[in-house]
Amino acid sequence: MAQEIAAQPYAFAFDPAHCALLIIDMQRDFLEPGGFGAMLGNDVSQLRRTIEPNRRLLAAWRAAGLTVIHTREGHRPDLADLPPAKKIRGKGETTIGDPGPMGRILVRGEAGHDIIPELYPAAGEPVIDKPGKGAFFATDLSAILAHRGIKQLVVTGVTTEVCVNTTVREANDRGFDCLVLSDCCGSYFPEFHEMGLKMIKAQGGIFGWVASSEEVIQTLKKEA
Ligand code: TIU
């Protein structure tokens, strides 16, 4: 049974049995003070403010027994799936695959690539390792969602304008309804966060809906 969640541009018809929580790239290298993001001079506090709302949402979601899926951006240790263009973009001295503050940067199996302890996946929660910004590109996410009969996604994570937006656009083109939670997403650049959310909900919800996590948590409590 669908439940209405107050959202913009209008109420989201939440169908819990067919909805997954998709948490994008809450990885140590993006969020932790000693990580790759911080090394590049980014303000990680803009991302860290999303940890507590995500933690509360994840607890409520798990308590309701609904599907949770996590993603991580990163590459094979041999870097065979790293596009040369991505490797050299930015002309940085230290780039993907090089030794960084928490192991080789954005390489699977390294400490910095893993998910922050506050939101660590529980046993049985799929983790999608993705080489791109979108969670559908070159991953088995579509198959996992199809096997579970998922039609809707509640999307959180970082960064709002990069991996969250790319994933929501990919999902929208594949027929999923996406509800993006404003307080559970973040960008190193506050203005990009704000515009990233506006782009999703503009034009009658061209890519999806936007709400706060509290709206979802209250609805999950009503379900219980
Ligand atoms: N996960 C994600 O958004 N990857 C990025 O590289 N984001 C930036 O904002 N750089």
Side-chain angles (χ1 to χ4, degrees), residues 105-154:
I105 291 162
L106 293 189
V107 169
R108 295 176 194 156
E110 303 287 338
H113 170 263
D114 210 355
I115 292 172
I116 57 169
E118 295 92 330
L119 301 175
Y120 210 75
E125 293 175 354
V127 178
I128 307 291
D129 277 321
K130 61 187 188 62
K133 304 306 183 195
F136 287 85
F137 171 68
T139 72
D140 48 13
L141 178 59
S142 285
I144 291 171
L145 296 175
H147 298 160
R148 295 178 179 221
I150 299 296
K151 310 271 186 223
Q152 305 181 331
L153 300 171
V154 168

mmCIF file of all heavy atoms in Angstrom, residues 105-154:
data_model
loop_
_atom_site.group_PDB
_atom_site.id
_atom_site.type_symbol
_atom_site.label_atom_id
_atom_site.label_comp_id
_atom_site.label_asym_id
_atom_site.label_seq_id
_atom_site.Cartn_x
_atom_site.Cartn_y
_atom_site.Cartn_z
ATOM 1 N N ILE A 105 44.281 5.545 -3.716
ATOM 2 C CA ILE A 105 43.067 6.366 -3.822
ATOM 3 C C ILE A 105 42.019 5.707 -4.713
ATOM 4 O O ILE A 105 42.308 5.341 -5.869
ATOM 5 C CB ILE A 105 43.448 7.771 -4.340
ATOM 6 C CG1 ILE A 105 44.249 8.484 -3.253
ATOM 7 C CG2 ILE A 105 42.217 8.577 -4.727
ATOM 8 C CD1 ILE A 105 45.032 9.662 -3.746
ATOM 9 N N LEU A 106 40.817 5.563 -4.133
ATOM 10 C CA LEU A 106 39.645 4.990 -4.814
ATOM 11 C C LEU A 106 39.930 3.642 -5.473
ATOM 12 O O LEU A 106 39.447 3.346 -6.568
ATOM 13 C CB LEU A 106 39.044 5.988 -5.813
ATOM 14 C CG LEU A 106 38.414 7.252 -5.201
ATOM 15 C CD1 LEU A 106 37.662 8.046 -6.276
ATOM 16 C CD2 LEU A 106 37.470 6.938 -4.051
ATOM 17 N N VAL A 107 40.721 2.834 -4.773
ATOM 18 C CA VAL A 107 40.983 1.465 -5.222
ATOM 19 C C VAL A 107 40.297 0.499 -4.259
ATOM 20 O O VAL A 107 40.400 0.646 -3.035
ATOM 21 C CB VAL A 107 42.502 1.182 -5.290
ATOM 22 C CG1 VAL A 107 42.784 -0.310 -5.486
ATOM 23 C CG2 VAL A 107 43.118 1.991 -6.433
ATOM 24 N N ARG A 108 39.576 -0.461 -4.834
ATOM 25 C CA ARG A 108 38.819 -1.426 -4.021
ATOM 26 C C ARG A 108 39.752 -2.212 -3.099
ATOM 27 O O ARG A 108 40.829 -2.639 -3.521
ATOM 28 C CB ARG A 108 38.058 -2.384 -4.942
ATOM 29 C CG ARG A 108 37.000 -1.634 -5.724
ATOM 30 C CD ARG A 108 36.279 -2.499 -6.732
ATOM 31 N NE ARG A 108 35.541 -1.624 -7.637
ATOM 32 C CZ ARG A 108 35.170 -1.939 -8.872
ATOM 33 N NH1 ARG A 108 35.462 -3.127 -9.372
ATOM 34 N NH2 ARG A 108 34.504 -1.067 -9.609
ATOM 35 N N GLY A 109 39.319 -2.370 -1.869
ATOM 36 C CA GLY A 109 40.117 -3.104 -0.891
ATOM 37 C C GLY A 109 40.958 -2.200 -0.016
ATOM 38 O O GLY A 109 41.455 -2.628 1.024
ATOM 39 N N GLU A 110 41.114 -0.936 -0.412
ATOM 40 C CA GLU A 110 41.904 0.013 0.386
ATOM 41 C C GLU A 110 41.019 0.658 1.455
ATOM 42 O O GLU A 110 39.801 0.811 1.261
ATOM 43 C CB GLU A 110 42.509 1.104 -0.517
ATOM 44 C CG GLU A 110 43.377 0.566 -1.643
ATOM 45 C CD GLU A 110 44.734 0.038 -1.168
ATOM 46 O OE1 GLU A 110 45.201 0.435 -0.070
ATOM 47 O OE2 GLU A 110 45.321 -0.789 -1.894
ATOM 48 N N ALA A 111 41.626 1.083 2.557
ATOM 49 C CA ALA A 111 40.850 1.625 3.689
ATOM 50 C C ALA A 111 40.018 2.840 3.281
ATOM 51 O O ALA A 111 38.851 2.971 3.660
ATOM 52 C CB ALA A 111 41.793 1.989 4.828
ATOM 53 N N GLY A 112 40.600 3.738 2.514
ATOM 54 C CA GLY A 112 39.902 4.975 2.139
ATOM 55 C C GLY A 112 38.716 4.747 1.224
ATOM 56 O O GLY A 112 37.795 5.569 1.169
ATOM 57 N N HIS A 113 38.739 3.636 0.507
ATOM 58 C CA HIS A 113 37.648 3.313 -0.425
ATOM 59 C C HIS A 113 36.414 2.813 0.307
ATOM 60 O O HIS A 113 35.307 2.856 -0.214
ATOM 61 C CB HIS A 113 38.165 2.254 -1.414
ATOM 62 C CG HIS A 113 37.119 1.644 -2.282
ATOM 63 N ND1 HIS A 113 36.514 0.431 -1.987
ATOM 64 C CD2 HIS A 113 36.547 2.082 -3.421
ATOM 65 C CE1 HIS A 113 35.627 0.157 -2.934
ATOM 66 N NE2 HIS A 113 35.624 1.133 -3.806
ATOM 67 N N ASP A 114 36.607 2.352 1.530
ATOM 68 C CA ASP A 114 35.494 1.690 2.224
ATOM 69 C C ASP A 114 34.514 2.715 2.814
ATOM 70 O O ASP A 114 34.793 3.910 2.897
ATOM 71 C CB ASP A 114 36.039 0.774 3.327
ATOM 72 C CG ASP A 114 35.120 -0.425 3.561
ATOM 73 O OD1 ASP A 114 34.034 -0.489 2.949
ATOM 74 O OD2 ASP A 114 35.496 -1.297 4.360
ATOM 75 N N ILE A 115 33.372 2.190 3.221
ATOM 76 C CA ILE A 115 32.293 3.029 3.749
ATOM 77 C C ILE A 115 32.614 3.419 5.187
ATOM 78 O O ILE A 115 33.201 2.630 5.950
ATOM 79 C CB ILE A 115 30.959 2.266 3.606
ATOM 80 C CG1 ILE A 115 30.633 2.154 2.095
ATOM 81 C CG2 ILE A 115 29.824 2.962 4.372
ATOM 82 C CD1 ILE A 115 29.459 1.282 1.755
ATOM 83 N N ILE A 116 32.245 4.631 5.573
ATOM 84 C CA ILE A 116 32.528 5.132 6.929
ATOM 85 C C ILE A 116 31.875 4.213 7.974
ATOM 86 O O ILE A 116 30.792 3.666 7.727
ATOM 87 C CB ILE A 116 32.049 6.592 7.109
ATOM 88 C CG1 ILE A 116 30.555 6.742 6.803
ATOM 89 C CG2 ILE A 116 32.869 7.537 6.246
ATOM 90 C CD1 ILE A 116 29.970 8.079 7.208
ATOM 91 N N PRO A 117 32.508 4.055 9.123
ATOM 92 C CA PRO A 117 31.994 3.103 10.128
ATOM 93 C C PRO A 117 30.572 3.413 10.582
ATOM 94 O O PRO A 117 29.797 2.503 10.866
ATOM 95 C CB PRO A 117 32.977 3.222 11.298
ATOM 96 C CG PRO A 117 33.964 4.270 10.951
ATOM 97 C CD PRO A 117 33.791 4.670 9.526
ATOM 98 N N GLU A 118 30.209 4.704 10.620
ATOM 99 C CA GLU A 118 28.871 5.097 11.103
ATOM 100 C C GLU A 118 27.745 4.505 10.255
ATOM 101 O O GLU A 118 26.624 4.337 10.739
ATOM 102 C CB GLU A 118 28.732 6.625 11.095
ATOM 103 C CG GLU A 118 29.651 7.370 12.045
ATOM 104 C CD GLU A 118 30.972 7.785 11.406
ATOM 105 O OE1 GLU A 118 31.463 7.084 10.481
ATOM 106 O OE2 GLU A 118 31.535 8.810 11.842
ATOM 107 N N LEU A 119 28.043 4.240 8.978
ATOM 108 C CA LEU A 119 26.994 3.760 8.054
ATOM 109 C C LEU A 119 27.385 2.425 7.438
ATOM 110 O O LEU A 119 26.954 2.088 6.332
ATOM 111 C CB LEU A 119 26.760 4.797 6.941
ATOM 112 C CG LEU A 119 26.323 6.190 7.402
ATOM 113 C CD1 LEU A 119 26.254 7.147 6.216
ATOM 114 C CD2 LEU A 119 24.968 6.121 8.093
ATOM 115 N N TYR A 120 28.200 1.655 8.165
ATOM 116 C CA TYR A 120 28.762 0.436 7.570
ATOM 117 C C TYR A 120 27.665 -0.557 7.191
ATOM 118 O O TYR A 120 26.715 -0.752 7.955
ATOM 119 C CB TYR A 120 29.778 -0.219 8.508
ATOM 120 C CG TYR A 120 30.815 -0.945 7.699
ATOM 121 C CD1 TYR A 120 31.800 -0.229 7.031
ATOM 122 C CD2 TYR A 120 30.758 -2.326 7.541
ATOM 123 C CE1 TYR A 120 32.730 -0.882 6.232
ATOM 124 C CE2 TYR A 120 31.682 -2.981 6.743
ATOM 125 C CZ TYR A 120 32.662 -2.255 6.088
ATOM 126 O OH TYR A 120 33.566 -2.891 5.286
ATOM 127 N N PRO A 121 27.743 -1.141 5.997
ATOM 128 C CA PRO A 121 26.712 -2.093 5.563
ATOM 129 C C PRO A 121 26.570 -3.262 6.537
ATOM 130 O O PRO A 121 27.560 -3.772 7.057
ATOM 131 C CB PRO A 121 27.237 -2.590 4.209
ATOM 132 C CG PRO A 121 28.161 -1.518 3.737
ATOM 133 C CD PRO A 121 28.772 -0.919 4.972
ATOM 134 N N ALA A 122 25.324 -3.668 6.748
ATOM 135 C CA ALA A 122 25.059 -4.849 7.564
ATOM 136 C C ALA A 122 25.099 -6.081 6.658
ATOM 137 O O ALA A 122 24.976 -5.965 5.428
ATOM 138 C CB ALA A 122 23.686 -4.710 8.214
ATOM 139 N N ALA A 123 25.262 -7.252 7.283
ATOM 140 C CA ALA A 123 25.274 -8.500 6.513
ATOM 141 C C ALA A 123 23.988 -8.584 5.691
ATOM 142 O O ALA A 123 22.905 -8.288 6.199
ATOM 143 C CB ALA A 123 25.374 -9.683 7.463
ATOM 144 N N GLY A 124 24.131 -8.939 4.435
ATOM 145 C CA GLY A 124 22.961 -9.102 3.569
ATOM 146 C C GLY A 124 22.578 -7.854 2.797
ATOM 147 O O GLY A 124 21.721 -7.922 1.917
ATOM 148 N N GLU A 125 23.182 -6.714 3.111
ATOM 149 C CA GLU A 125 22.895 -5.482 2.353
ATOM 150 C C GLU A 125 23.868 -5.383 1.180
ATOM 151 O O GLU A 125 25.080 -5.278 1.384
ATOM 152 C CB GLU A 125 23.027 -4.246 3.253
ATOM 153 C CG GLU A 125 21.964 -4.192 4.346
ATOM 154 C CD GLU A 125 22.130 -3.052 5.350
ATOM 155 O OE1 GLU A 125 23.155 -2.323 5.293
ATOM 156 O OE2 GLU A 125 21.237 -2.903 6.206
ATOM 157 N N PRO A 126 23.359 -5.420 -0.060
ATOM 158 C CA PRO A 126 24.264 -5.382 -1.204
ATOM 159 C C PRO A 126 25.109 -4.102 -1.250
ATOM 160 O O PRO A 126 24.602 -3.016 -0.957
ATOM 161 C CB PRO A 126 23.321 -5.433 -2.417
ATOM 162 C CG PRO A 126 22.045 -5.998 -1.908
ATOM 163 C CD PRO A 126 21.951 -5.562 -0.472
ATOM 164 N N VAL A 127 26.376 -4.274 -1.616
ATOM 165 C CA VAL A 127 27.277 -3.135 -1.847
ATOM 166 C C VAL A 127 27.639 -3.153 -3.327
ATOM 167 O O VAL A 127 28.155 -4.160 -3.834
ATOM 168 C CB VAL A 127 28.546 -3.236 -0.971
ATOM 169 C CG1 VAL A 127 29.485 -2.069 -1.269
ATOM 170 C CG2 VAL A 127 28.183 -3.274 0.511
ATOM 171 N N ILE A 128 27.339 -2.047 -4.007
ATOM 172 C CA ILE A 128 27.607 -1.946 -5.449
ATOM 173 C C ILE A 128 28.925 -1.211 -5.629
ATOM 174 O O ILE A 128 29.051 -0.043 -5.248
ATOM 175 C CB ILE A 128 26.491 -1.131 -6.155
ATOM 176 C CG1 ILE A 128 25.095 -1.683 -5.837
ATOM 177 C CG2 ILE A 128 26.753 -1.022 -7.649
ATOM 178 C CD1 ILE A 128 24.787 -3.025 -6.431
ATOM 179 N N ASP A 129 29.909 -1.877 -6.206
ATOM 180 C CA ASP A 129 31.167 -1.208 -6.537
ATOM 181 C C ASP A 129 31.069 -0.668 -7.947
ATOM 182 O O ASP A 129 30.888 -1.432 -8.905
ATOM 183 C CB ASP A 129 32.337 -2.185 -6.390
ATOM 184 C CG ASP A 129 32.791 -2.280 -4.938
ATOM 185 O OD1 ASP A 129 32.809 -1.234 -4.253
ATOM 186 O OD2 ASP A 129 33.108 -3.392 -4.481
ATOM 187 N N LYS A 130 31.145 0.658 -8.051
ATOM 188 C CA LYS A 130 30.907 1.299 -9.350
ATOM 189 C C LYS A 130 32.149 2.065 -9.803
ATOM 190 O O LYS A 130 32.773 2.763 -9.006
ATOM 191 C CB LYS A 130 29.691 2.229 -9.252
ATOM 192 C CG LYS A 130 29.828 3.373 -8.259
ATOM 193 C CD LYS A 130 28.493 4.105 -8.138
ATOM 194 C CE LYS A 130 28.560 5.366 -7.318
ATOM 195 N NZ LYS A 130 29.423 6.416 -7.789
ATOM 196 N N PRO A 131 32.512 1.933 -11.076
ATOM 197 C CA PRO A 131 33.680 2.654 -11.566
ATOM 198 C C PRO A 131 33.374 4.090 -11.997
ATOM 199 O O PRO A 131 34.281 4.887 -12.202
ATOM 200 C CB PRO A 131 34.107 1.829 -12.792
ATOM 201 C CG PRO A 131 32.827 1.240 -13.294
ATOM 202 C CD PRO A 131 31.960 1.002 -12.074
ATOM 203 N N GLY A 132 32.081 4.418 -12.121
ATOM 204 C CA GLY A 132 31.710 5.754 -12.602
ATOM 205 C C GLY A 132 30.980 6.547 -11.543
ATOM 206 O O GLY A 132 30.926 6.165 -10.370
ATOM 207 N N LYS A 133 30.405 7.629 -11.975
ATOM 208 C CA LYS A 133 29.634 8.474 -11.059
ATOM 209 C C LYS A 133 28.237 7.884 -10.848
ATOM 210 O O LYS A 133 27.699 7.901 -9.743
ATOM 211 C CB LYS A 133 29.535 9.912 -11.602
ATOM 212 C CG LYS A 133 30.886 10.573 -11.893
ATOM 213 C CD LYS A 133 31.815 10.550 -10.699
ATOM 214 C CE LYS A 133 33.131 11.277 -11.005
ATOM 215 N NZ LYS A 133 34.164 10.960 -9.997
ATOM 216 N N GLY A 134 27.625 7.381 -11.907
ATOM 217 C CA GLY A 134 26.304 6.773 -11.800
ATOM 218 C C GLY A 134 26.410 5.351 -11.267
ATOM 219 O O GLY A 134 27.366 4.622 -11.567
ATOM 220 N N ALA A 135 25.406 4.937 -10.464
ATOM 221 C CA ALA A 135 25.441 3.601 -9.859
ATOM 222 C C ALA A 135 24.969 2.512 -10.819
ATOM 223 O O ALA A 135 25.107 1.318 -10.522
ATOM 224 C CB ALA A 135 24.594 3.585 -8.590
ATOM 225 N N PHE A 136 24.402 2.896 -11.964
ATOM 226 C CA PHE A 136 23.919 1.889 -12.922
ATOM 227 C C PHE A 136 24.997 1.521 -13.948
ATOM 228 O O PHE A 136 25.007 0.413 -14.462
ATOM 229 C CB PHE A 136 22.666 2.403 -13.648
ATOM 230 C CG PHE A 136 21.440 2.419 -12.769
ATOM 231 C CD1 PHE A 136 21.173 3.501 -11.942
ATOM 232 C CD2 PHE A 136 20.555 1.344 -12.745
ATOM 233 C CE1 PHE A 136 20.049 3.518 -11.122
ATOM 234 C CE2 PHE A 136 19.431 1.351 -11.927
ATOM 235 C CZ PHE A 136 19.178 2.447 -11.112
ATOM 236 N N PHE A 137 25.887 2.455 -14.235
ATOM 237 C CA PHE A 137 26.898 2.219 -15.267
ATOM 238 C C PHE A 137 27.898 1.129 -14.839
ATOM 239 O O PHE A 137 28.564 1.257 -13.804
ATOM 240 C CB PHE A 137 27.653 3.524 -15.585
ATOM 241 C CG PHE A 137 28.845 3.305 -16.474
ATOM 242 C CD1 PHE A 137 28.687 2.909 -17.785
ATOM 243 C CD2 PHE A 137 30.135 3.447 -15.979
ATOM 244 C CE1 PHE A 137 29.783 2.671 -18.599
ATOM 245 C CE2 PHE A 137 31.240 3.217 -16.781
ATOM 246 C CZ PHE A 137 31.056 2.820 -18.097
ATOM 247 N N ALA A 138 27.973 0.066 -15.647
ATOM 248 C CA ALA A 138 28.959 -1.010 -15.448
ATOM 249 C C ALA A 138 28.847 -1.674 -14.071
ATOM 250 O O ALA A 138 29.854 -2.038 -13.459
ATOM 251 C CB ALA A 138 30.380 -0.488 -15.678
ATOM 252 N N THR A 139 27.601 -1.819 -13.581
ATOM 253 C CA THR A 139 27.366 -2.520 -12.304
ATOM 254 C C THR A 139 26.191 -3.486 -12.466
ATOM 255 O O THR A 139 25.493 -3.469 -13.483
ATOM 256 C CB THR A 139 27.011 -1.551 -11.157
ATOM 257 O OG1 THR A 139 25.676 -1.053 -11.359
ATOM 258 C CG2 THR A 139 27.973 -0.395 -11.049
ATOM 259 N N ASP A 140 25.943 -4.272 -11.424
ATOM 260 C CA ASP A 140 24.801 -5.191 -11.427
ATOM 261 C C ASP A 140 23.606 -4.626 -10.652
ATOM 262 O O ASP A 140 22.712 -5.370 -10.264
ATOM 263 C CB ASP A 140 25.209 -6.567 -10.881
ATOM 264 C CG ASP A 140 25.992 -6.482 -9.580
ATOM 265 O OD1 ASP A 140 26.015 -5.388 -8.965
ATOM 266 O OD2 ASP A 140 26.575 -7.499 -9.175
ATOM 267 N N LEU A 141 23.568 -3.311 -10.483
ATOM 268 C CA LEU A 141 22.468 -2.703 -9.725
ATOM 269 C C LEU A 141 21.112 -2.975 -10.371
ATOM 270 O O LEU A 141 20.146 -3.318 -9.668
ATOM 271 C CB LEU A 141 22.692 -1.184 -9.571
ATOM 272 C CG LEU A 141 21.588 -0.417 -8.839
ATOM 273 C CD1 LEU A 141 21.367 -0.944 -7.416
ATOM 274 C CD2 LEU A 141 21.908 1.087 -8.793
ATOM 275 N N SER A 142 21.004 -2.833 -11.691
ATOM 276 C CA SER A 142 19.710 -3.061 -12.373
ATOM 277 C C SER A 142 19.190 -4.461 -12.085
ATOM 278 O O SER A 142 18.005 -4.644 -11.790
ATOM 279 C CB SER A 142 19.846 -2.904 -13.892
ATOM 280 O OG SER A 142 19.940 -1.557 -14.232
ATOM 281 N N ALA A 143 20.076 -5.450 -12.164
ATOM 282 C CA ALA A 143 19.663 -6.838 -11.929
ATOM 283 C C ALA A 143 19.206 -7.032 -10.492
ATOM 284 O O ALA A 143 18.175 -7.662 -10.234
ATOM 285 C CB ALA A 143 20.824 -7.786 -12.250
ATOM 286 N N ILE A 144 19.933 -6.473 -9.555
ATOM 287 C CA ILE A 144 19.574 -6.632 -8.127
ATOM 288 C C ILE A 144 18.215 -5.999 -7.851
ATOM 289 O O ILE A 144 17.367 -6.588 -7.178
ATOM 290 C CB ILE A 144 20.689 -6.028 -7.235
ATOM 291 C CG1 ILE A 144 21.955 -6.882 -7.343
ATOM 292 C CG2 ILE A 144 20.234 -5.914 -5.781
ATOM 293 C CD1 ILE A 144 23.180 -6.288 -6.680
ATOM 294 N N LEU A 145 17.977 -4.821 -8.402
ATOM 295 C CA LEU A 145 16.683 -4.146 -8.197
ATOM 296 C C LEU A 145 15.551 -4.940 -8.847
ATOM 297 O O LEU A 145 14.472 -5.096 -8.265
ATOM 298 C CB LEU A 145 16.731 -2.725 -8.764
ATOM 299 C CG LEU A 145 17.727 -1.773 -8.088
ATOM 300 C CD1 LEU A 145 17.765 -0.431 -8.822
ATOM 301 C CD2 LEU A 145 17.388 -1.562 -6.624
ATOM 302 N N ALA A 146 15.798 -5.464 -10.045
ATOM 303 C CA ALA A 146 14.761 -6.247 -10.741
ATOM 304 C C ALA A 146 14.422 -7.505 -9.947
ATOM 305 O O ALA A 146 13.250 -7.846 -9.783
ATOM 306 C CB ALA A 146 15.240 -6.608 -12.144
ATOM 307 N N HIS A 147 15.432 -8.190 -9.432
ATOM 308 C CA HIS A 147 15.195 -9.441 -8.699
ATOM 309 C C HIS A 147 14.381 -9.202 -7.437
ATOM 310 O O HIS A 147 13.677 -10.085 -6.959
ATOM 311 C CB HIS A 147 16.528 -10.109 -8.319
ATOM 312 C CG HIS A 147 17.336 -10.486 -9.521
ATOM 313 N ND1 HIS A 147 18.690 -10.708 -9.458
ATOM 314 C CD2 HIS A 147 16.983 -10.659 -10.813
ATOM 315 C CE1 HIS A 147 19.141 -11.009 -10.669
ATOM 316 N NE2 HIS A 147 18.122 -10.981 -11.505
ATOM 317 N N ARG A 148 14.483 -8.000 -6.880
ATOM 318 C CA ARG A 148 13.738 -7.681 -5.655
ATOM 319 C C ARG A 148 12.438 -6.944 -5.930
ATOM 320 O O ARG A 148 11.764 -6.523 -4.991
ATOM 321 C CB ARG A 148 14.618 -6.844 -4.714
ATOM 322 C CG ARG A 148 15.809 -7.642 -4.224
ATOM 323 C CD ARG A 148 16.721 -6.832 -3.333
ATOM 324 N NE ARG A 148 17.833 -7.667 -2.893
ATOM 325 C CZ ARG A 148 18.340 -7.670 -1.673
ATOM 326 N NH1 ARG A 148 17.835 -6.880 -0.751
ATOM 327 N NH2 ARG A 148 19.344 -8.458 -1.368
ATOM 328 N N GLY A 149 12.120 -6.724 -7.199
ATOM 329 C CA GLY A 149 10.869 -6.048 -7.549
ATOM 330 C C GLY A 149 10.838 -4.584 -7.150
ATOM 331 O O GLY A 149 9.770 -4.010 -6.914
ATOM 332 N N ILE A 150 12.016 -3.960 -7.100
ATOM 333 C CA ILE A 150 12.095 -2.552 -6.682
ATOM 334 C C ILE A 150 11.717 -1.622 -7.839
ATOM 335 O O ILE A 150 12.203 -1.771 -8.964
ATOM 336 C CB ILE A 150 13.532 -2.231 -6.183
ATOM 337 C CG1 ILE A 150 13.918 -3.102 -4.978
ATOM 338 C CG2 ILE A 150 13.679 -0.736 -5.874
ATOM 339 C CD1 ILE A 150 13.108 -2.892 -3.732
ATOM 340 N N LYS A 151 10.847 -0.646 -7.534
ATOM 341 C CA LYS A 151 10.378 0.332 -8.533
ATOM 342 C C LYS A 151 10.695 1.769 -8.119
ATOM 343 O O LYS A 151 10.568 2.689 -8.914
ATOM 344 C CB LYS A 151 8.851 0.243 -8.688
ATOM 345 C CG LYS A 151 8.313 -1.154 -8.899
ATOM 346 C CD LYS A 151 8.287 -1.497 -10.363
ATOM 347 C CE LYS A 151 7.611 -2.834 -10.587
ATOM 348 N NZ LYS A 151 8.348 -3.645 -11.549
ATOM 349 N N GLN A 152 10.996 1.942 -6.825
ATOM 350 C CA GLN A 152 11.253 3.281 -6.284
ATOM 351 C C GLN A 152 12.581 3.265 -5.531
ATOM 352 O O GLN A 152 12.942 2.256 -4.942
ATOM 353 C CB GLN A 152 10.188 3.680 -5.255
ATOM 354 C CG GLN A 152 8.766 3.620 -5.722
ATOM 355 C CD GLN A 152 7.816 4.066 -4.615
ATOM 356 O OE1 GLN A 152 8.118 3.914 -3.422
ATOM 357 N NE2 GLN A 152 6.684 4.621 -5.001
ATOM 358 N N LEU A 153 13.244 4.442 -5.513
ATOM 359 C CA LEU A 153 14.490 4.570 -4.758
ATOM 360 C C LEU A 153 14.435 5.803 -3.871
ATOM 361 O O LEU A 153 14.046 6.889 -4.337
ATOM 362 C CB LEU A 153 15.685 4.708 -5.713
ATOM 363 C CG LEU A 153 15.921 3.540 -6.677
ATOM 364 C CD1 LEU A 153 16.987 3.927 -7.707
ATOM 365 C CD2 LEU A 153 16.349 2.289 -5.913
ATOM 366 N N VAL A 154 14.783 5.632 -2.603
ATOM 367 C CA VAL A 154 15.070 6.774 -1.738
ATOM 368 C C VAL A 154 16.579 6.925 -1.775
ATOM 369 O O VAL A 154 17.311 5.984 -1.434
ATOM 370 C CB VAL A 154 14.543 6.546 -0.310
ATOM 371 C CG1 VAL A 154 15.093 7.597 0.645
ATOM 372 C CG2 VAL A 154 13.014 6.591 -0.307
#
